[in-house]
Amino acid sequence: MSNPRDVPFETTHLVRDTCLCLHVQRAARALSRLFDDALRPVGLTSGQFSLLNALNRPAPPPIAPVAKLLAMDRTTLTAALKPLERDGLVAIAKDPDDRRSRLLRLTDKGREVLALAIPIWRDLHGDVEAGMSGLGPDNLRSALNGLSRSKPAASA
């Protein structure tokens, strides 16, 4: 007699074959590994590259909008900033207009490393896009952006 809490093995296959979350996670891990390997010569991970790129602005941003852009909570972003600050790529300063807020900026060294990383990113990104089959890169970006902005209602 089977336990009513047992999940049929067929369901495991259904999830494996159709779960969007699983497929996006797998693709994200594979892309992260590719970009981590490519960016290693300039001393960055893919996440650090994204963070430095998010700070490449005319004026230093506060933490909150950077966290929102990167879909991170503030605590995770603060932890991700520590090695970049330690390595002299990022500077964190109190906002003169709001002493409770911190402003983030690329240092000269951070801008230099980002400038070295951009051609690496551009080449690999072009290769990844060229190697995509089925859904075109612009359609995929649009679909993923739509998912990251919407909050589907949970089924009852």
Side-chain angles (χ1 to χ4, degrees):
M1 183 166 190
S2 70
N3 184 328
R5 290 185 283 182
D6 286 346
V7 176
F9 190 56
E10 296 77 27
T11 303
T12 301
H13 283 246
L14 175 69
V15 171
R16 179 199 65 197
D17 296 342
T18 64
C19 179
L20 293 174
C21 186
L22 172 62
H23 287 271
V24 169
Q25 288 170 336
R26 288 175 57 184
R29 287 184 191 110
L31 279 172
S32 290
R33 280 191 299 273
L34 278 173
F35 281 93
D36 286 347
D37 290 346
L39 293 167
R40 190 167 291 118
V42 295
L44 295 177
T45 65
S46 58
Q48 290 170 331
F49 171 79
S50 295
L51 180 45
L52 291 181
N53 192 64
L55 299 181
N56 187 37
R57 303 176 184 208
I63 289 177
V66 175
K68 184 177 180 181
L69 172 70
L70 298 173
M72 300 172 109
D73 61 56
R74 293 166 60 115
T75 304
T76 303
L77 175 57
T78 299
L81 286 164
K82 287 186 186 302
L84 296 173
E85 184 180 29
R86 180 196 63 226
D87 293 344
L89 304 177
V90 171
I92 304 171
K94 288 183 180 174
D95 184 340
D97 298 328
D98 180 358
R99 304 296 282 166
R100 297 168 299 161
S101 183
R102 302 284 180 263
L103 298 178
L104 311 174
R105 71 170 176 80
L106 291 177
T107 63
D108 289 343
K109 183 178 177 184
R111 282 192 295 278
E112 197 175 297
V113 169
L114 182 59
L116 292 171
I118 290 292
I120 296 167
W121 171 85
R122 189 174 281 128
D123 289 346
L124 180 54
H125 194 266
D127 291 346
V128 168
E129 282 195 353
M132 291 178 66
S133 59
L135 187 62
D138 289 334
N139 292 333
L140 177 59
R141 268 187 289 278
S142 178
L144 292 173
N145 282 332
L147 282 174
S148 66
R149 282 194 275 268
S150 68
K151 292 184 180 171
S155 57

